[in-house]
Amino acid sequence: MYRVLVVDDEPLAQKSVCSIIEKRSKNYRVIETAENGQEALEKARKLVPDLIICDIKMPLLSGVELSSIIREEFPEICFIIISGYQDFEYARSAIRSGVTDYLLKPIVPAELLKTLKYTETKIREIHYKERNRILRTLGNGESVDMAKVKRYMPYEQYYGAILRTNGLPRRFSMDKRREIYSDIHESYMIFGRDEMESLCLIPCELVAEGEFLHYLNKLQKQQSASNYYTLIYDSRPFTVDKLQEKIKNLYQNLDQCSSVGVTQILNLAEKQNVRTDSTVEIQKRESKVLTKLETAARSKNPEQIRNEIRQGYEFLEKDHPPQLWMENFTREVLAIMRQYGLCRLSPEESDYQMNDAFFYATSIQTLADSLLDVFLDFDKEERSSKVDSQEYFNMISSYLEENLGKTITLPELCHHFGISQTYMSRLFRKYSGNSFNQYLTELRMTQAKKLLSEKPDILIKDVAAIVGYEDQFYFSRLFRSYTGKSPSEFLKGFNVEG
Protein backbone atom coordinates (compact mmCIF):
# COMPACT_ATOMS: atom_id res chain seq x y z
CA MET A 1 0.00 0.00 0.00
CA TYR A 2 1.41 3.40 -1.00
CA ARG A 3 1.91 6.03 1.70
CA VAL A 4 0.48 9.55 1.27
CA LEU A 5 1.17 12.89 2.95
CA VAL A 6 -1.72 15.38 2.49
CA VAL A 7 -0.86 19.08 2.78
CA ASP A 8 -3.49 21.84 2.91
CA ASP A 9 -4.00 24.83 5.20
CA GLU A 10 -7.79 24.56 4.83
CA PRO A 11 -9.06 21.87 7.26
CA LEU A 12 -12.15 21.02 5.22
CA ALA A 13 -10.16 20.59 1.98
CA GLN A 14 -7.57 18.49 3.79
CA LYS A 15 -10.25 16.32 5.36
CA SER A 16 -12.01 15.87 2.01
CA VAL A 17 -8.87 14.55 0.29
CA CYS A 18 -8.13 12.20 3.20
CA SER A 19 -11.68 10.88 3.21
CA ILE A 20 -11.69 10.10 -0.51
CA ILE A 21 -8.41 8.21 -0.23
CA GLU A 22 -9.38 6.25 2.88
CA LYS A 23 -12.82 5.26 1.66
CA ARG A 24 -12.34 4.75 -2.06
CA SER A 25 -8.69 4.02 -2.83
CA LYS A 26 -7.52 0.59 -1.63
CA ASN A 27 -3.89 1.03 -2.76
CA TYR A 28 -3.16 4.25 -0.84
CA ARG A 29 -3.00 5.08 2.86
CA VAL A 30 -2.77 8.57 4.39
CA ILE A 31 0.09 8.41 6.89
CA GLU A 32 0.19 12.08 7.91
CA THR A 33 -1.17 15.56 7.21
CA ALA A 34 0.36 19.04 7.34
CA GLU A 35 -1.05 22.58 7.41
CA ASN A 36 1.85 24.50 5.90
CA GLY A 37 4.77 23.93 3.57
CA GLN A 38 7.48 23.96 6.24
CA GLU A 39 5.67 21.37 8.36
CA ALA A 40 5.15 19.25 5.25
CA LEU A 41 8.86 19.40 4.41
CA GLU A 42 9.84 18.25 7.91
CA LYS A 43 7.36 15.37 7.85
CA ALA A 44 8.39 14.37 4.33
CA ARG A 45 12.05 14.20 5.40
CA LYS A 46 11.13 12.05 8.38
CA LEU A 47 8.56 9.73 6.78
CA VAL A 48 9.58 9.73 3.07
CA PRO A 49 6.08 9.05 1.71
CA ASP A 50 5.44 7.67 -1.77
CA LEU A 51 3.13 10.56 -2.66
CA ILE A 52 2.54 14.13 -1.48
CA ILE A 53 -0.76 15.84 -2.33
CA CYS A 54 -0.37 19.57 -1.70
CA ASP A 55 -2.30 22.80 -2.20
CA ILE A 56 -0.38 25.21 -4.38
CA LYS A 57 -0.84 28.19 -2.03
CA MET A 58 0.57 27.37 1.39
CA PRO A 59 1.99 29.39 4.30
CA LEU A 60 5.79 29.47 4.77
CA LEU A 61 6.49 27.36 1.65
CA SER A 62 4.26 27.27 -1.43
CA GLY A 63 3.37 23.99 -3.06
CA VAL A 64 5.70 24.73 -5.98
CA GLU A 65 8.59 25.61 -3.62
CA LEU A 66 7.96 22.46 -1.59
CA SER A 67 7.84 20.29 -4.70
CA SER A 68 11.14 21.76 -5.92
CA ILE A 69 12.90 20.94 -2.62
CA ILE A 70 11.37 17.47 -2.45
CA ARG A 71 12.37 16.71 -6.02
CA GLU A 72 15.97 17.65 -5.21
CA GLU A 73 16.16 15.61 -1.99
CA PHE A 74 13.79 12.74 -2.75
CA PRO A 75 13.36 12.31 -6.51
CA GLU A 76 11.49 9.04 -5.86
CA ILE A 77 8.56 10.87 -4.19
CA CYS A 78 5.62 11.67 -6.50
CA PHE A 79 3.85 15.02 -6.12
CA ILE A 80 0.29 16.14 -6.95
CA ILE A 81 -0.50 19.87 -6.83
CA ILE A 82 -4.01 21.16 -6.03
CA SER A 83 -4.83 24.64 -7.32
CA GLY A 84 -7.67 27.02 -7.93
CA TYR A 85 -8.62 27.94 -11.48
CA GLN A 86 -6.88 31.29 -11.18
CA ASP A 87 -3.59 29.51 -10.41
CA PHE A 88 -3.80 27.24 -13.46
CA GLU A 89 -0.73 28.66 -15.24
CA TYR A 90 1.24 28.53 -11.99
CA ALA A 91 0.28 24.87 -11.56
CA ARG A 92 1.25 24.10 -15.13
CA SER A 93 4.72 25.51 -14.52
CA ALA A 94 4.97 23.18 -11.53
CA ILE A 95 4.18 20.26 -13.83
CA ARG A 96 7.09 21.26 -16.05
CA SER A 97 9.37 21.31 -13.01
CA GLY A 98 8.63 17.71 -12.13
CA VAL A 99 5.23 17.54 -10.40
CA THR A 100 3.40 14.36 -11.38
CA ASP A 101 -0.01 15.96 -11.93
CA TYR A 102 -2.34 18.69 -10.74
CA LEU A 103 -6.01 18.98 -9.76
CA LEU A 104 -8.36 21.96 -9.78
CA LYS A 105 -10.44 23.00 -6.79
CA PRO A 106 -13.02 22.10 -5.70
CA ILE A 107 -11.80 18.47 -5.68
CA VAL A 108 -14.07 16.11 -7.61
CA PRO A 109 -13.70 12.58 -6.16
CA ALA A 110 -13.73 10.91 -9.57
CA GLU A 111 -10.94 13.21 -10.80
CA LEU A 112 -8.81 12.57 -7.70
CA LEU A 113 -9.25 8.81 -8.06
CA LYS A 114 -8.35 9.00 -11.76
CA THR A 115 -5.18 10.96 -10.92
CA LEU A 116 -4.29 8.50 -8.16
CA LYS A 117 -4.63 5.60 -10.55
CA TYR A 118 -2.32 7.30 -13.05
CA THR A 119 0.15 8.14 -10.28
CA GLU A 120 0.04 4.56 -9.00
CA THR A 121 1.62 3.38 -12.26
CA LYS A 122 4.49 5.83 -11.79
CA ILE A 123 4.99 4.85 -8.14
CA ARG A 124 5.01 1.16 -9.06
CA GLU A 125 7.74 1.84 -11.64
CA ILE A 126 9.75 3.82 -9.09
CA HIS A 127 9.47 1.01 -6.52
CA TYR A 128 10.45 -1.53 -9.15
CA LYS A 129 13.61 0.40 -10.05
CA GLU A 130 14.50 0.94 -6.39
CA ARG A 131 14.07 -2.79 -5.65
CA ASN A 132 16.38 -3.55 -8.55
CA ARG A 133 18.98 -1.13 -7.18
CA ILE A 134 18.76 -2.85 -3.79
CA LEU A 135 19.21 -6.30 -5.34
CA ARG A 136 22.12 -5.10 -7.50
CA THR A 137 23.83 -3.55 -4.49
CA LEU A 138 23.38 -6.67 -2.36
CA GLY A 139 24.36 -8.89 -5.28
CA ASN A 140 27.66 -7.02 -5.53
CA GLY A 141 28.34 -7.60 -1.84
CA GLU A 142 27.66 -4.03 -0.72
CA SER A 143 25.48 -2.83 2.16
CA VAL A 144 22.17 -1.02 1.79
CA ASP A 145 20.08 1.24 3.99
CA MET A 146 17.63 -1.03 5.83
CA ALA A 147 15.02 1.73 5.83
CA LYS A 148 15.06 1.57 2.02
CA VAL A 149 14.86 -2.22 2.07
CA LYS A 150 11.75 -2.14 4.27
CA ARG A 151 10.24 0.61 2.17
CA TYR A 152 10.66 -0.96 -1.24
CA MET A 153 10.35 -4.66 -0.51
CA PRO A 154 6.57 -5.11 -0.49
CA TYR A 155 6.25 -8.20 1.74
CA GLU A 156 7.24 -9.08 5.30
CA GLN A 157 8.63 -12.59 4.75
CA TYR A 158 10.43 -14.35 1.89
CA TYR A 159 11.95 -17.60 0.75
CA GLY A 160 15.37 -17.23 -0.87
CA ALA A 161 17.29 -19.24 -3.47
CA ILE A 162 20.07 -18.76 -6.00
CA LEU A 163 20.45 -20.86 -9.13
CA ARG A 164 23.66 -20.62 -11.13
CA THR A 165 23.95 -22.36 -14.51
CA ASN A 166 27.50 -23.56 -15.17
CA GLY A 167 30.30 -21.59 -13.47
CA LEU A 168 30.55 -18.36 -11.54
CA PRO A 169 30.41 -14.97 -13.31
CA ARG A 170 33.46 -13.86 -15.25
CA ARG A 171 36.14 -13.04 -12.73
CA PHE A 172 39.47 -12.58 -14.52
CA SER A 173 38.67 -9.60 -16.74
CA MET A 174 36.30 -6.67 -16.45
CA ASP A 175 34.14 -7.88 -19.31
CA LYS A 176 30.81 -6.11 -19.62
CA ARG A 177 27.91 -7.94 -18.04
CA ARG A 178 24.21 -7.40 -18.45
CA GLU A 179 22.20 -7.80 -15.27
CA ILE A 180 18.86 -9.58 -15.36
CA TYR A 181 15.75 -8.57 -13.39
CA SER A 182 12.23 -9.92 -13.09
CA ASP A 183 9.51 -8.08 -14.94
CA ILE A 184 7.65 -5.34 -13.10
CA HIS A 185 4.48 -7.46 -13.10
CA GLU A 186 6.08 -10.58 -11.60
CA SER A 187 5.39 -11.28 -7.93
CA TYR A 188 8.64 -13.22 -7.57
CA MET A 189 11.68 -10.93 -7.45
CA ILE A 190 14.57 -12.15 -9.62
CA PHE A 191 18.09 -10.79 -10.00
CA GLY A 192 21.02 -12.15 -11.96
CA ARG A 193 24.52 -10.72 -12.28
CA ASP A 194 24.32 -12.09 -15.82
CA GLU A 195 21.97 -14.26 -17.88
CA MET A 196 23.24 -17.48 -16.24
CA GLU A 197 22.04 -16.62 -12.74
CA SER A 198 18.76 -16.25 -10.85
CA LEU A 199 18.60 -14.95 -7.29
CA CYS A 200 14.97 -15.59 -6.35
CA LEU A 201 13.07 -13.87 -3.54
CA ILE A 202 9.59 -15.36 -3.18
CA PRO A 203 7.01 -13.80 -0.82
CA CYS A 204 5.73 -16.23 1.81
CA GLU A 205 2.34 -14.53 1.63
CA LEU A 206 1.99 -15.83 -1.93
CA VAL A 207 3.35 -19.37 -1.58
CA ALA A 208 3.60 -22.08 1.04
CA GLU A 209 6.83 -24.03 1.60
CA GLY A 210 5.64 -26.85 -0.65
CA GLU A 211 4.93 -24.42 -3.51
CA PHE A 212 8.37 -22.85 -3.06
CA LEU A 213 10.02 -26.26 -3.38
CA HIS A 214 7.83 -27.03 -6.41
CA TYR A 215 9.04 -23.78 -8.03
CA LEU A 216 12.66 -24.76 -7.43
CA ASN A 217 11.98 -28.17 -8.95
CA LYS A 218 10.54 -26.44 -12.01
CA LEU A 219 13.70 -24.31 -12.32
CA GLN A 220 15.84 -27.43 -12.23
CA LYS A 221 13.83 -29.12 -14.98
CA GLN A 222 14.38 -26.11 -17.23
CA GLN A 223 18.15 -26.64 -17.15
CA SER A 224 19.73 -28.02 -20.29
CA ALA A 225 21.14 -31.53 -20.04
CA SER A 226 24.43 -30.23 -21.47
CA ASN A 227 24.95 -27.85 -18.52
CA TYR A 228 25.57 -28.28 -14.83
CA TYR A 229 24.10 -26.02 -12.16
CA THR A 230 24.38 -25.05 -8.51
CA LEU A 231 21.19 -24.45 -6.53
CA ILE A 232 21.50 -22.93 -3.06
CA TYR A 233 18.29 -22.33 -1.11
CA ASP A 234 16.84 -22.12 2.38
CA SER A 235 13.53 -23.84 3.08
CA ARG A 236 13.10 -21.60 6.13
CA PRO A 237 11.40 -18.23 5.49
CA PHE A 238 13.12 -15.05 6.64
CA THR A 239 11.85 -11.59 7.53
CA VAL A 240 12.66 -8.59 5.35
CA ASP A 241 15.04 -7.14 7.95
CA LYS A 242 17.23 -10.24 7.37
CA LEU A 243 17.37 -9.72 3.61
CA GLN A 244 20.93 -8.39 3.50
CA GLU A 245 22.24 -11.21 5.70
CA LYS A 246 20.36 -13.88 3.73
CA ILE A 247 21.52 -12.74 0.28
CA LYS A 248 25.11 -12.52 1.52
CA ASN A 249 24.83 -16.08 2.86
CA LEU A 250 23.43 -17.40 -0.43
CA TYR A 251 26.27 -15.86 -2.45
CA GLN A 252 28.93 -17.04 0.01
CA ASN A 253 27.67 -20.61 -0.23
CA LEU A 254 27.53 -20.35 -4.03
CA ASP A 255 31.19 -19.30 -4.11
CA GLN A 256 32.18 -22.07 -1.71
CA CYS A 257 30.24 -24.83 -3.47
CA SER A 258 30.30 -24.12 -7.20
CA SER A 259 32.53 -26.76 -8.81
CA VAL A 260 33.17 -27.06 -12.55
CA GLY A 261 31.01 -29.78 -14.10
CA VAL A 262 29.26 -30.77 -10.86
CA THR A 263 25.52 -30.25 -10.34
CA GLN A 264 24.84 -29.47 -6.69
CA ILE A 265 21.73 -28.74 -4.64
CA LEU A 266 22.16 -27.35 -1.15
CA ASN A 267 19.44 -26.58 1.39
CA LEU A 268 20.95 -24.26 3.99
CA ALA A 269 18.40 -25.53 6.50
CA GLU A 270 20.13 -28.92 6.40
CA LYS A 271 23.62 -28.30 7.74
CA GLN A 272 24.76 -31.82 6.90
CA ASN A 273 24.73 -30.86 3.21
CA VAL A 274 27.50 -28.28 3.62
CA ARG A 275 30.83 -29.19 2.00
CA THR A 276 33.38 -30.81 4.34
CA ASP A 277 36.27 -31.22 1.87
CA SER A 278 39.72 -31.46 3.41
CA THR A 279 41.68 -28.39 2.34
CA VAL A 280 44.89 -30.13 3.33
CA GLU A 281 44.22 -33.08 1.02
CA ILE A 282 43.37 -30.80 -1.90
CA GLN A 283 46.56 -28.80 -1.34
CA LYS A 284 48.62 -32.02 -1.32
CA ARG A 285 47.12 -33.03 -4.66
CA GLU A 286 47.73 -29.54 -6.08
CA SER A 287 51.39 -29.59 -5.02
CA LYS A 288 51.89 -33.01 -6.60
CA VAL A 289 50.32 -31.91 -9.90
CA LEU A 290 52.29 -28.64 -10.08
CA THR A 291 55.57 -30.48 -9.48
CA LYS A 292 54.89 -32.85 -12.36
CA LEU A 293 53.80 -29.97 -14.61
CA GLU A 294 57.00 -28.05 -13.93
CA THR A 295 59.08 -31.11 -14.81
CA ALA A 296 57.16 -31.45 -18.08
CA ALA A 297 57.52 -27.71 -18.80
CA ARG A 298 61.30 -27.97 -18.56
CA SER A 299 61.26 -30.62 -21.28
CA LYS A 300 59.56 -28.20 -23.74
CA ASN A 301 57.84 -31.29 -25.20
CA PRO A 302 54.36 -30.15 -26.31
CA GLU A 303 52.76 -33.59 -26.19
CA GLN A 304 54.15 -34.39 -22.76
CA ILE A 305 53.01 -31.02 -21.40
CA ARG A 306 49.52 -31.45 -22.84
CA ASN A 307 49.20 -34.92 -21.30
CA GLU A 308 50.37 -33.71 -17.89
CA ILE A 309 47.92 -30.79 -17.93
CA ARG A 310 44.97 -33.02 -18.85
CA GLN A 311 45.95 -35.69 -16.32
CA GLY A 312 46.56 -33.05 -13.65
CA TYR A 313 43.08 -31.53 -14.00
CA GLU A 314 41.48 -34.99 -14.07
CA PHE A 315 43.45 -35.96 -10.94
CA LEU A 316 42.17 -32.88 -9.09
CA GLU A 317 38.61 -33.47 -10.30
CA LYS A 318 38.25 -36.39 -7.83
CA ASP A 319 37.94 -33.89 -4.97
CA HIS A 320 35.37 -31.72 -6.80
CA PRO A 321 37.27 -28.58 -5.74
CA PRO A 322 35.38 -25.25 -5.73
CA GLN A 323 35.78 -23.15 -8.86
CA LEU A 324 37.47 -20.38 -6.86
CA TRP A 325 40.17 -22.81 -5.81
CA MET A 326 40.50 -24.14 -9.38
CA GLU A 327 40.95 -20.58 -10.66
CA ASN A 328 43.89 -20.03 -8.29
CA PHE A 329 45.38 -23.36 -9.35
CA THR A 330 45.05 -22.34 -13.00
CA ARG A 331 46.97 -19.16 -12.34
CA GLU A 332 49.74 -21.27 -10.80
CA VAL A 333 49.87 -23.39 -13.97
CA LEU A 334 49.95 -20.27 -16.14
CA ALA A 335 52.84 -18.88 -14.10
CA ILE A 336 54.84 -22.07 -14.75
CA MET A 337 54.09 -21.91 -18.48
CA ARG A 338 55.24 -18.28 -18.60
CA GLN A 339 58.38 -19.09 -16.62
CA TYR A 340 59.48 -21.55 -19.31
CA GLY A 341 58.42 -19.39 -22.25
CA LEU A 342 55.51 -21.63 -23.28
CA CYS A 343 52.78 -18.95 -23.03
CA ARG A 344 53.44 -15.74 -24.90
CA LEU A 345 49.93 -14.27 -24.65
CA SER A 346 49.71 -10.89 -22.97
CA PRO A 347 48.36 -10.93 -19.40
CA GLU A 348 45.21 -9.17 -20.64
CA GLU A 349 44.64 -11.73 -23.40
CA SER A 350 45.32 -14.72 -21.16
CA ASP A 351 42.92 -13.34 -18.54
CA TYR A 352 40.23 -12.95 -21.18
CA GLN A 353 40.73 -16.49 -22.45
CA MET A 354 40.77 -17.97 -18.95
CA ASN A 355 37.60 -16.02 -18.31
CA ASP A 356 35.84 -17.70 -21.23
CA ALA A 357 37.29 -21.13 -20.47
CA PHE A 358 35.72 -21.20 -17.01
CA PHE A 359 32.50 -19.52 -18.14
CA TYR A 360 31.74 -22.03 -20.90
CA ALA A 361 33.25 -25.20 -19.43
CA THR A 362 30.71 -27.93 -18.70
CA SER A 363 33.25 -30.36 -17.25
CA ILE A 364 36.85 -30.47 -16.04
CA GLN A 365 37.78 -32.11 -19.36
CA THR A 366 36.35 -29.28 -21.47
CA LEU A 367 37.97 -26.76 -19.12
CA ALA A 368 41.40 -28.38 -19.49
CA ASP A 369 41.06 -28.59 -23.29
CA SER A 370 40.20 -24.88 -23.50
CA LEU A 371 43.00 -23.87 -21.15
CA LEU A 372 45.58 -25.75 -23.21
CA ASP A 373 45.34 -23.01 -25.83
CA VAL A 374 45.94 -20.43 -23.10
CA PHE A 375 48.88 -22.24 -21.51
CA LEU A 376 50.66 -23.19 -24.73
CA ASP A 377 51.45 -21.09 -27.77
CA PHE A 378 52.68 -23.85 -30.10
CA ASP A 379 49.80 -24.26 -32.54
CA LYS A 380 49.54 -21.69 -35.34
CA GLU A 381 47.59 -23.52 -38.03
CA GLU A 382 44.23 -22.27 -36.85
CA ARG A 383 45.31 -18.68 -37.30
CA SER A 384 45.29 -18.77 -41.06
CA SER A 385 44.12 -15.67 -42.89
CA LYS A 386 41.10 -17.60 -44.15
CA VAL A 387 39.82 -18.35 -40.65
CA ASP A 388 40.96 -15.14 -39.01
CA SER A 389 38.93 -12.87 -41.26
CA GLN A 390 35.75 -10.84 -41.29
CA GLU A 391 34.35 -13.06 -44.06
CA TYR A 392 34.80 -16.19 -41.98
CA PHE A 393 33.22 -14.55 -38.92
CA ASN A 394 30.28 -13.48 -41.12
CA MET A 395 29.74 -17.17 -41.92
CA ILE A 396 29.59 -17.92 -38.19
CA SER A 397 27.16 -15.04 -37.66
CA SER A 398 24.92 -16.23 -40.53
CA TYR A 399 24.85 -19.72 -39.06
CA LEU A 400 23.69 -18.33 -35.71
CA GLU A 401 20.99 -16.20 -37.36
CA GLU A 402 19.66 -19.22 -39.23
CA ASN A 403 19.50 -21.32 -36.06
CA LEU A 404 18.25 -18.87 -33.44
CA GLY A 405 15.34 -21.12 -32.47
CA LYS A 406 17.68 -23.96 -31.52
CA THR A 407 19.74 -24.48 -28.40
CA ILE A 408 23.19 -23.33 -29.48
CA THR A 409 26.20 -23.81 -27.23
CA LEU A 410 29.75 -22.64 -27.80
CA PRO A 411 31.14 -26.23 -27.90
CA GLU A 412 28.52 -27.17 -30.54
CA LEU A 413 29.41 -24.11 -32.61
CA CYS A 414 33.12 -24.97 -32.37
CA HIS A 415 32.43 -28.56 -33.45
CA HIS A 416 30.40 -27.37 -36.45
CA PHE A 417 33.20 -25.09 -37.69
CA GLY A 418 36.10 -27.25 -36.56
CA ILE A 419 37.69 -24.55 -34.40
CA SER A 420 38.83 -24.76 -30.79
CA GLN A 421 36.75 -23.02 -28.15
CA THR A 422 39.56 -20.66 -27.26
CA TYR A 423 40.10 -19.59 -30.85
CA MET A 424 36.36 -19.19 -31.46
CA SER A 425 36.21 -16.87 -28.44
CA ARG A 426 39.04 -14.83 -29.93
CA LEU A 427 37.11 -14.43 -33.18
CA PHE A 428 34.03 -13.15 -31.34
CA ARG A 429 36.10 -10.72 -29.34
CA LYS A 430 38.01 -9.46 -32.39
CA TYR A 431 35.14 -9.08 -34.87
CA SER A 432 32.18 -8.26 -32.63
CA GLY A 433 33.70 -6.90 -29.42
CA ASN A 434 31.43 -9.28 -27.49
CA SER A 435 31.60 -12.73 -25.98
CA PHE A 436 29.74 -15.57 -27.71
CA ASN A 437 26.88 -15.41 -25.20
CA GLN A 438 26.50 -11.65 -25.53
CA TYR A 439 26.58 -11.79 -29.31
CA LEU A 440 24.02 -14.60 -29.53
CA THR A 441 21.68 -12.91 -27.07
CA GLU A 442 21.84 -9.62 -28.96
CA LEU A 443 21.01 -11.44 -32.19
CA ARG A 444 18.00 -13.00 -30.49
CA MET A 445 16.83 -9.70 -29.02
CA THR A 446 17.17 -7.97 -32.42
CA GLN A 447 15.06 -10.69 -34.04
CA ALA A 448 12.52 -10.48 -31.20
CA LYS A 449 12.13 -6.72 -31.70
CA LYS A 450 11.65 -7.28 -35.43
CA LEU A 451 8.94 -9.89 -34.83
CA LEU A 452 7.09 -7.67 -32.34
CA SER A 453 7.27 -4.72 -34.73
CA GLU A 454 6.13 -6.60 -37.81
CA LYS A 455 3.52 -8.84 -36.17
CA PRO A 456 1.67 -6.85 -33.48
CA ASP A 457 -0.81 -9.72 -32.88
CA ILE A 458 1.87 -12.31 -32.17
CA LEU A 459 1.93 -13.92 -28.72
CA ILE A 460 4.97 -13.15 -26.60
CA LYS A 461 5.46 -16.83 -25.79
CA ASP A 462 5.64 -17.52 -29.55
CA VAL A 463 8.27 -14.81 -30.01
CA ALA A 464 10.26 -16.37 -27.17
CA ALA A 465 10.12 -19.81 -28.80
CA ILE A 466 11.06 -18.51 -32.25
CA VAL A 467 14.23 -16.85 -30.94
CA GLY A 468 15.27 -19.80 -28.78
CA TYR A 469 13.70 -19.45 -25.32
CA GLU A 470 11.31 -22.00 -23.81
CA ASP A 471 10.60 -19.89 -20.72
CA GLN A 472 8.54 -16.80 -21.58
CA PHE A 473 9.36 -15.07 -18.28
CA TYR A 474 13.09 -15.60 -18.74
CA PHE A 475 12.82 -14.20 -22.27
CA SER A 476 10.93 -11.15 -20.94
CA ARG A 477 13.63 -10.50 -18.34
CA LEU A 478 16.36 -10.64 -20.97
CA PHE A 479 14.34 -8.46 -23.35
CA ARG A 480 13.89 -5.78 -20.69
CA SER A 481 17.60 -5.85 -19.83
CA TYR A 482 18.49 -5.24 -23.50
CA THR A 483 15.77 -2.77 -24.47
CA GLY A 484 14.68 -1.14 -21.20
CA LYS A 485 11.12 -2.33 -21.83
CA SER A 486 9.20 -5.54 -21.42
CA PRO A 487 7.95 -7.17 -24.67
CA SER A 488 4.40 -5.98 -23.97
CA GLU A 489 5.59 -2.40 -23.31
CA PHE A 490 7.69 -2.48 -26.47
CA LEU A 491 4.70 -3.72 -28.46
CA LYS A 492 2.40 -1.09 -26.97
CA GLY A 493 4.86 1.71 -27.72
CA PHE A 494 5.27 0.54 -31.30
CA ASN A 495 1.51 0.44 -31.81
CA VAL A 496 1.15 3.97 -30.44
CA GLU A 497 3.94 5.27 -32.64
CA GLY A 498 2.55 3.42 -35.62
Side-chain angles (χ1 to χ4, degrees):
M1 189 171 289
Y2 302 128
R3 302 154 69 248
V4 185
L5 170 62
V6 177
V7 188
D8 202 311
D9 60 337
E10 296 180 16
L12 288 178
Q14 184 187 106
K15 185 177 180 180
S16 174
V17 172
C18 291
S19 178
I20 294 170
I21 293 173
E22 290 166 0
K23 293 180 180 179
R24 299 180 62 178
S25 182
K26 63 180 182 179
N27 293 328
Y28 289 92
R29 175 172 62 91
V30 177
I31 58 168
E32 190 56 274
T33 60
E35 296 181 357
N36 63 67
Q38 186 60 45
E39 180 189 6
L41 179 60
E42 292 169 1
K43 289 183 175 180
R45 285 170 172 165
K46 179 181 178 181
L47 301 171
V48 193
D50 300 302
L51 171 64
I52 296 175
I53 301 177
C54 182
D55 189 9
I56 199 167
K57 286 190 173 180
M58 296 289 299
L60 303 182
L61 277 178
S62 72
V64 174
E65 291 170 327
L66 176 62
S67 70
S68 179
I69 296 172
I70 291 295
R71 186 187 182 201
E72 183 70 26
E73 295 185 18
F74 305 98
E76 70 273 23
I77 295 179
C78 288
F79 215 100
I80 295 176
I81 285 285
I82 298 174
S83 73
Y85 181 78
Q86 67 275 16
D87 301 313
F88 175 74
E89 289 301 324
Y90 191 28
R92 193 156 64 177
S93 69
I95 294 281
R96 287 194 290 267
S97 69
V99 169
T100 306
D101 209 340
Y102 71 93
L103 290 166
L104 293 176
K105 285 186 174 182
I107 295 296
V108 177
E111 288 299 317
L112 174 58
L113 293 172
K114 181 180 177 181
T115 299
L116 288 174
K117 186 174 181 180
Y118 162 74
T119 305
E120 185 179 335
T121 301
K122 298 199 70 170
I123 296 176
R124 187 185 301 116
E125 182 71 26
I126 290 169
H127 279 226
Y128 170 74
K129 291 179 178 178
E130 290 297 327
R131 280 197 299 274
N132 288 349
R133 288 193 185 97
I134 289 170
L135 292 178
R136 178 195 299 120
T137 302
L138 294 176
N140 289 326
E142 302 169 17
S143 297
V144 295
D145 181 358
M146 283 309 301
K148 277 201 166 188
V149 171
K150 292 180 179 180
R151 180 181 175 195
Y152 293 114
M153 301 299 289
Y155 297 94
E156 291 298 320
Q157 286 192 314
Y158 295 86
Y159 290 108
I162 186 166
L163 177 70
R164 180 80 205 177
T165 302
N166 289 359
L168 298 170
R170 288 177 165 83
R171 312 172 77 81
F172 294 132
S173 62
M174 297 303 292
D175 208 6
K176 64 180 181 181
R177 293 195 307 221
R178 194 174 292 274
E179 296 166 333
I180 307 299
Y181 300 96
S182 52
D183 186 78
I184 190 172
H185 302 294
E186 291 183 75
S187 299
Y188 297 178
M189 279 151 274
I190 311 292
F191 169 73
R193 291 171 292 180
D194 57 31
E195 68 273 23
M196 308 298 281
E197 183 175 280
S198 295
L199 169 67
C200 309
L201 299 175
I202 302 177
C204 295
E205 289 92 323
L206 302 183
V207 299
E209 180 182 344
E211 293 173 292
F212 168 59
L213 297 177
H214 176 73
Y215 174 73
L216 296 183
N217 186 52
K218 180 182 176 182
L219 288 181
Q220 294 174 60
K221 289 181 178 178
Q222 291 173 351
Q223 301 304 301
S224 169
S226 62
N227 296 323
Y228 69 96
Y229 62 87
T230 308
L231 173 62
I232 312 289
Y233 72 97
D234 198 327
S235 57
R236 301 164 297 186
F238 62 92
T239 53
V240 70
D241 60 308
K242 300 291 184 182
L243 179 69
Q244 186 163 305
E245 174 188 330
K246 182 60 63 176
I247 290 180
K248 181 179 180 180
N249 194 21
L250 288 169
Y251 276 113
Q252 285 178 338
N253 277 276
L254 177 66
D255 285 346
Q256 292 167 7
C257 293
S258 182
S259 180
V260 177
V262 183
T263 289
Q264 297 182 81
I265 302 170
L266 171 64
N267 181 359
L268 297 181
E270 301 173 3
K271 296 184 183 299
Q272 66 269 23
N273 283 352
V274 178
R275 293 179 64 101
T276 57
D277 295 339
S278 169
T279 302
V280 174
E281 286 302 315
I282 295 178
Q283 288 174 340
K284 285 181 180 178
R285 286 179 176 271
E286 175 188 18
S287 179
K288 187 175 181 179
V289 170
L290 290 175
T291 299
K292 294 181 71 174
L293 281 174
E294 186 163 7
T295 300
R298 286 197 198 100
S299 73
K300 302 290 183 77
N301 184 315
E303 194 59 34
Q304 183 183 351
I305 296 171
R306 287 179 180 277
N307 288 338
E308 287 295 344
I309 289 175
R310 288 196 178 96
Q311 290 172 14
Y313 275 87
E314 289 173 6
F315 180 63
L316 295 171
E317 182 184 16
K318 299 174 183 177
D319 292 309
H320 298 315
Q323 180 180 329
L324 291 180
W325 181 89
M326 190 63 82
E327 289 174 2
N328 290 330
F329 168 75
T330 298
R331 286 192 176 277
E332 293 282 351
V333 177
L334 183 61
I336 292 173
M337 298 299 112
R338 287 194 186 283
Q339 180 182 347
Y340 291 97
L342 302 171
C343 176
R344 292 185 288 272
L345 295 176
S346 68
E348 179 184 359
E349 182 64 24
S350 60
D351 276 355
Y352 184 89
Q353 297 302 334
M354 288 168 67
N355 213 48
D356 265 11
F358 275 96
F359 190 78
Y360 292 111
T362 55
S363 67
I364 288 291
Q365 290 77 20
T366 59
L367 174 64
D369 285 343
S370 295
L371 289 172
L372 282 171
D373 290 332
V374 181
F375 296 145
L376 305 174
D377 204 26
F378 292 120
D379 296 335
K380 302 291 185 181
E381 61 269 18
E382 279 189 332
R383 305 183 189 183
S384 68
S385 58
K386 180 180 179 181
V387 173
D388 191 359
S389 66
Q390 183 67 58
E391 290 74 21
Y392 195 82
F393 182 76
N394 290 344
M395 288 174 55
I396 296 172
S397 180
S398 296
Y399 175 82
L400 292 177
E401 290 178 9
E402 293 165 5
N403 292 276
L404 285 182
K406 300 178 182 178
T407 300
I408 306 173
T409 66
L410 183 59
E412 290 169 345
L413 185 67
C414 293
H415 178 74
H416 180 82
F417 284 93
I419 297 175
S420 73
Q421 185 168 304
T422 305
Y423 195 66
M424 182 67 81
S425 293
R426 290 176 186 170
L427 291 179
F428 273 96
R429 185 185 184 195
K430 181 175 181 179
Y431 293 106
S432 76
N434 288 320
S435 68
F436 162 73
N437 258 32
Q438 292 165 340
Y439 188 81
L440 178 59
T441 304
E442 288 186 1
L443 280 181
R444 285 173 163 160
M445 294 302 107
T446 299
Q447 180 62 16
K449 288 192 292 183
K450 183 179 179 182
L451 288 168
L452 290 168
S453 302
E454 295 177 351
K455 301 179 180 180
D457 296 327
I458 194 170
L459 297 177
I460 293 173
K461 67 176 183 179
D462 291 338
V463 175
I466 291 171
V467 299
Y469 299 103
E470 294 182 9
D471 185 342
Q472 176 184 334
F473 290 109
Y474 178 66
F475 162 71
S476 295
R477 293 170 200 145
L478 277 176
F479 190 89
R480 177 182 277 275
S481 76
Y482 273 78
T483 67
K485 297 180 180 180
S486 69
S488 56
E489 290 169 342
F490 179 86
L491 190 58
K492 182 180 179 180
F494 182 80
N495 286 340
V496 169
E497 292 168 7

